[in-house]
Amino acid sequence: MTSPVWIRGLNYAYGEGELRRPVLRDVALEIHAGEIVLLTGPSGSGKTTLLTLVGALRAMQEGECQVLGQQLAGATEDQRVLLRRRIGFIFQQHNLLGFLTAQQNVAMSLELDPATTERERLERAGAMLAAVGLGDRLDATPARLSGGQRQRVAVARALAGNPGLILADEPTAALDRVSGQEVVHLLRDLARSRGVPILLVTHDPRILDIADRIIEMEDGRILPGSPLD
Amino acid sequence: MNEMQRLVLPAALPANRPPRLANAWLAARLAWRQLRAERARLWTAIAGVMFACVLVFMQLGFRSALFDSATALPQAMHGELFLVNPMTTAMFKPEQFPRVRAFQTLADPDVAQAVPIYLSFATWRNPETGVRRTIELIGFDTETGAVAFPGLDNVIEALKRPDTIAFDRKSRPEFGNVPRLLAEGGPFEVQIADRRLQLVGLIEIGPSFGADGNAVMSETNFRRIISQRRASNTDLVALRLRSGADIPAVQARLRQLLPRDVAVVTYPELVAWERNYWENATPIGFIFMFGSLMGLVVGMVIVYQILFSDIASHIPEYATLKAMGYAHSYLRRAVMAAALLLAVLGFIPGILTSVGLYHVVAQATFLPLEMDLHRGVTVFGMIFAMCAGAGLLAVRKLRDANPADMF
């Protein structure tokens, strides 16, 4: 029960009435501290929906899902917003704000903490960018960075708030082989050094090597044989 | 990785909400950074707000100039109480009443002086071109001090002579450049109605929507020009009370004393009487309000468009912010901050341009157009409300930023 992610009997469906289409059926999953779990499977298998539910981006329908100690079944929008602040997200697209510098973009994830001052935030953001190897590009706007560099800024942003869990969706899909490898290895090293678990959805066979555990999904179910905890 | 070890970060972000003020400041800063990034869009928005601002300032300026100029004549009156025919709608078309009413008021111990004032229109012949135009004539006993037109003191003696007048230097230029003629050759002869008179000096009243020009003369000279009128009738009576008199009490006593063919009004009531005619009995007040409203609507549409497209082009980024734990209300605050920033950024050049335009228009039309604090604050309030309205319309677009769609 103290695992960062603990799921039992999770069902989820889109649509209403006759158009109701189940996407998750009786999913059970547990992720332990410091673990890196890869979620694979054909598109439409429900893995992205599972990720949005764990990330508190969607309201639950049925089942139990505890993330970082917060029960998401019946959680209010406010509770979900607060939980999201403790989760680091990395998307397929970097989604950095084009009008902010790399440093300001990373600092955005720290502005939610009222205890920090502007100077602390920028310092932490700068240190975080140095950790992903972009210490010399603090003032560059996303338009002046390469794809791999932008995704590394996104990694720095996801990690800057010291999250208890990292959720990533196809973080390498928009990158070439070399920068894709770089980004996931960086992600793995940073997460490992802090004991932060990662749940990563991917199709990319080139990055399967970073996983502690690989879970396959199909038709809304976790395939038998996938290790559940 | 050594660098990583030196990073000392809290285990988890505190779960309490950031204080509202700091939150609002950060949202406003985000809004400003976003506005600043798109220069062309920012300038368009500022131009839109500025346009609305100038339009509203001009409309309100004209409206107020109209009312100011329309009430220039009653405003120049020096008196505590006035007698007016109750059927008079505006000073430029007064109803007459018996002059004897003026003398009746002297029965009250607090009334020190009762000064009949005669108003009429006659044709004036332009001394330069000979073209005729209608001018308003104002006749009264110039020595009583019941009327305080600037410059009157210098011509009081001269106006005592038969067939003399003083001319309003602010009359429209179609009356001829009298000040220049006077400066060049001294007093000269002019024609009003069929009479030749000596123009002996200048006073200042200003044109109104009712009268383009004014001439002032003594009671006797007025009667010489307007000879067909009954001398026992007057148009307005200014009463001067003994110092320390209780004005409302005297007003009440005079109402008792006088027949119902005259109304007894105070100075503010007299000015309001005139103003009321222009505001309510003519569509002029409404027209200017409508013009202001149109300006605000156009400005609102422009600001809305700018805010809307700013949101629309940043939907994925906004959704990402929501995924990071930013509440919907934070983004709403950022949009509202952008709207209010635009209000301020557009208002500043707007008011500066309006001050310049006031100057230009005042010179061209001789209408008293002036910027004052009250109008500045009022228009800023309107522009602020306009931008806030546009912001409220635009924030609905934020609903499209759904973090669940990001994966």
Side-chain angles (χ1 to χ4, degrees), chain A residues 84-85 95 108 111 194, chain B residues 4 29 322 325-326 406:
Chain A
R84 283 183 219 153
R85 296 186 187 169
N95 292 337
M108 279 300 290
E111 281 182 15
R194 296 155 179 227
Chain B
M4 289 306 304
R29 190 179 66 175
K322 280 191 186 176
Y326 281 92
M406 289 310 302

Side-chain angles (χ1 to χ4, degrees), chain A residues 87-130:
Chain A
I87 298 175
F89 291 92
I90 298 164
F91 302 95
Q92 195 169 335
Q93 304 295 328
H94 55 84
N95 292 337
L96 298 172
L97 291 164
F99 52 88
L100 298 182
T101 65
Q103 192 178 22
Q104 287 168 340
N105 262 295
V106 176
M108 279 300 290
S109 69
L110 299 165
E111 281 182 15
L112 289 160
D113 178 358
T116 57
T117 65
E118 177 73 6
R119 229 188 70 194
E120 280 170 2
R121 288 194 289 263
L122 289 177
E123 258 173 34
R124 280 198 221 183
M128 224 37 248
L129 283 167

Side-chain angles (χ1 to χ4, degrees), chain A residues 48 52 57 78 81-82 84-85 89 95 97 99-100 104 108 111 113-114 118 124 127 130-131 157 162 169 194, chain B residues 3-4 7 9-11 13-15 17-19 29 33-34 37 317 320-326 404 406-407:
Chain A
T48 296
T52 57
L57 301 177
D78 281 355
V81 168
L82 288 177
R84 283 183 219 153
R85 296 186 187 169
F89 291 92
N95 292 337
L97 291 164
F99 52 88
L100 298 182
Q104 287 168 340
M108 279 300 290
E111 281 182 15
D113 178 358
E118 177 73 6
R124 280 198 221 183
R157 179 174 64 176
N162 231 23
D169 182 45
R194 296 155 179 227
Chain B
E3 212 148 354
M4 289 306 304
L7 275 176
L9 301 174
L13 289 168
R17 286 169 172 283
R29 190 179 66 175
R33 284 173 171 172
Q34 178 165 353
E317 287 86 350
T320 305
L321 288 178
K322 280 191 186 176
M324 283 160 60
Y326 281 92
M406 289 310 302
F407 284 124

Side-chain angles (χ1 to χ4, degrees), chain B residues 91-132:
Chain B
M91 280 310 157
F92 76 92
K93 42 180 181 180
E95 295 287 341
Q96 299 175 8
F97 59 91
R99 190 177 51 161
V100 68
R101 299 282 173 264
F103 308 129
Q104 281 176 296
T105 63
L106 294 171
D108 192 284
D110 276 338
V111 177
Q113 229 180 9
V115 186
I117 295 162
Y118 304 86
L119 304 167
S120 188
F121 283 87
T123 50
W124 154 280
R125 194 180 288 283
N126 183 327
E128 290 174 314
T129 61
V131 175
R132 306 219 299 174

